[in-house]
Amino acid sequence: MFSSRKDIALYYMYSEEIWKYAKDILESDNFQMTRNHIQHGSMTVHEHCINVAKTSLYIRDKLHIECDDRDLIRGALLHDYFLYDWHIGDSKNPLRLHGIFHPGIALRNARKEYELTKKQEEIIYRHMWPLTILPPICREAWIVTCADKYCSLMETLHFHEGRVKNTFDKLEL
């Protein structure tokens, strides 16, 4: 994905833009709790969501896509706001159909804490397409859907480990 040092520097620069539009999310207790759950490989849900937000901004810039930056960032950070360890089956999810059901759970959780726009709701609810039925409609949701697929693959194959670390880990939240 990153073809030059300039691209990597740009990726790190996105931290400021994310902080600008989503300080309340980054500082929330529930978002901080996502550090305790593994998403893909050894990557936490917290790291994954920040990677998806940064990768979404990178895609926006590389493809020169006009979009609502605030909705893009907030939707990306909240797209996996399911707040449980999906690796453990329980009475609510005995068959571990996490991939199908977690967008609705994430949306419900996000609505409890934040005032969401229609685009943010679409990003959260439709990011698992084509596994789920409804495809994204707005460009912000398409960008996050693509960024999520890319990050998920890289994290599962352990390509993100050690190469591009979250600059938020150094911040006192």
Side-chain angles (χ1 to χ4, degrees), residues 33-47:
M33 188 181 76
T34 64
R35 292 177 186 261
N36 300 326
H37 300 299
I38 297 298
Q39 179 68 325
H40 307 109
S42 61
M43 189 74 60
T44 66
V45 176
H46 185 270
E47 292 171 312

Side-chain angles (χ1 to χ4, degrees), residues 16-28:
E16 292 176 21
E17 193 171 358
I18 293 168
W19 192 258
K20 173 184 172 184
Y21 290 115
K23 183 176 189 266
D24 60 326
I25 294 171
L26 296 168
E27 290 179 336
S28 77

Side-chain angles (χ1 to χ4, degrees), residues 4-22:
S4 68
R5 288 183 188 263
K6 180 182 170 189
D7 288 343
I8 293 171
L10 189 64
Y11 189 80
Y12 280 110
M13 184 183 73
Y14 293 138
S15 298
E16 292 176 21
E17 193 171 358
I18 293 168
W19 192 258
K20 173 184 172 184
Y21 290 115

Side-chain angles (χ1 to χ4, degrees), residues 24-85:
D24 60 326
I25 294 171
L26 296 168
E27 290 179 336
S28 77
D29 290 339
N30 278 334
F31 192 76
Q32 287 301 308
M33 188 181 76
T34 64
R35 292 177 186 261
N36 300 326
H37 300 299
I38 297 298
Q39 179 68 325
H40 307 109
S42 61
M43 189 74 60
T44 66
V45 176
H46 185 270
E47 292 171 312
H48 169 73
C49 290
I50 292 172
N51 282 338
V52 170
K54 287 181 177 183
T55 302
S56 295
L57 292 169
Y58 181 84
I59 291 169
R60 173 204 66 188
D61 289 349
K62 277 305 214 184
L63 299 179
H64 307 288
I65 300 171
E66 292 287 326
C67 65
D68 186 307
D69 299 337
R70 183 176 191 275
D71 284 344
L72 182 70
I73 290 167
R74 294 177 73 82
L77 290 175
L78 296 171
H79 82 280
D80 279 344
Y81 204 59
F82 44 83
L83 306 175
Y84 60 84
D85 185 347

Side-chain angles (χ1 to χ4, degrees), residues 97-116:
L97 297 174
H98 169 76
I100 294 171
F101 295 116
H102 84 270
I105 296 167
L107 180 57
R108 245 187 342 268
N109 289 339
R111 280 178 175 157
K112 288 177 189 175
E113 291 186 54
Y114 307 102
E115 192 171 315
L116 303 174

